Amino acid sequence: FYFFIDFLFCIFLFFFFFVSLSSLFFALIFSIPFAYSVSRFNFPCKFLIINSILLIYLIPILTLLIPLYSFFTFLNLRDSLFGLIIVYPAVTIPVAIYMLQGYFKTIPQELEEAGLIDGLSRTGVILKITLPLSLPAIASVSLFIFMVAWNE
């Protein structure tokens, strides 16, 4: 109890929680549509984009420290929570895209075609058919993103 009062541990815990949830939100907002489009649509250079996502994840974060430091110094975000909320999704989005696109490929396209025949738009198919079926994958990716942000 002493630790919580004298060292303001509750405030720091709230900041950790806020940064982790914000990072989770932004990472999912960007990775779910990208993973869906990569898994469902055919477009030029699709294979190159998928492999580039994996290659981005293979770059160690330590090699990006100096560019990130100079970039955040330029934007005056060096000692701010907003800077952390920018960095954590940038680190976790590539693996989230890779994990989600693998799961989206397992959902049968016939279910989406049935939704389109029944009168749903493509957005309606995604929101009413694909996302509810992919909730287990979204939950596991969310847990991964939250743990990465929390552990940093």
Side-chain angles (χ1 to χ4, degrees):
F1 189 71
Y2 165 78
F3 189 71
F4 284 95
I5 294 172
D6 285 348
F7 295 110
L8 304 174
F9 187 72
C10 292
I11 294 171
F12 294 129
L13 192 63
F14 172 74
F15 286 151
F16 287 142
F17 198 68
F18 175 72
V19 168
S20 298
L21 283 181
S22 300
S23 301
L24 170 68
F25 174 75
F26 287 118
L28 286 180
I29 288 296
F30 288 109
S31 62
I32 288 174
F34 194 88
Y36 179 80
S37 64
V38 165
S39 67
R40 287 291 186 232
F41 303 126
N42 290 323
F43 50 88
C45 301
K46 177 180 172 180
F47 184 74
L48 180 67
I49 291 173
I50 293 171
N51 288 332
S52 298
I53 292 169
L54 272 180
L55 288 175
I56 290 170
Y57 193 66
L58 292 176
I59 297 172
I61 193 67
L62 291 176
T63 60
L64 301 174
L65 281 180
I66 294 173
L68 280 175
Y69 181 80
S70 62
F71 181 68
F72 284 148
T73 301
F74 177 73
L75 293 178
N76 205 11
L77 293 174
R78 203 172 25 157
D79 195 17
S80 68
L81 293 178
F82 187 68
L84 288 175
I85 293 171
I86 292 172
V87 170
Y88 292 149
V91 171
T92 56
I93 282 174
V95 72
I97 289 171
Y98 188 71
M99 290 170 67
L100 286 173
Q101 66 101 14
Y103 192 82
F104 284 145
K105 285 181 181 177
T106 64
I107 297 174
Q109 285 186 338
E110 289 80 11
L111 292 174
E112 295 178 2
E113 292 170 358
L116 289 171
I117 290 172
D118 287 343
L120 290 175
S121 64
R122 178 59 79 173
T123 307
V125 166
I126 293 170
L127 293 177
K128 293 182 180 179
I129 296 174
T130 307
L131 284 182
L133 288 175
S134 62
L135 282 180
I138 293 172
S140 64
V141 168
S142 299
L143 184 63
F144 171 76
I145 293 169
F146 186 83
M147 293 303 292
V148 166
W150 186 267
N151 284 335
E152 290 290 328

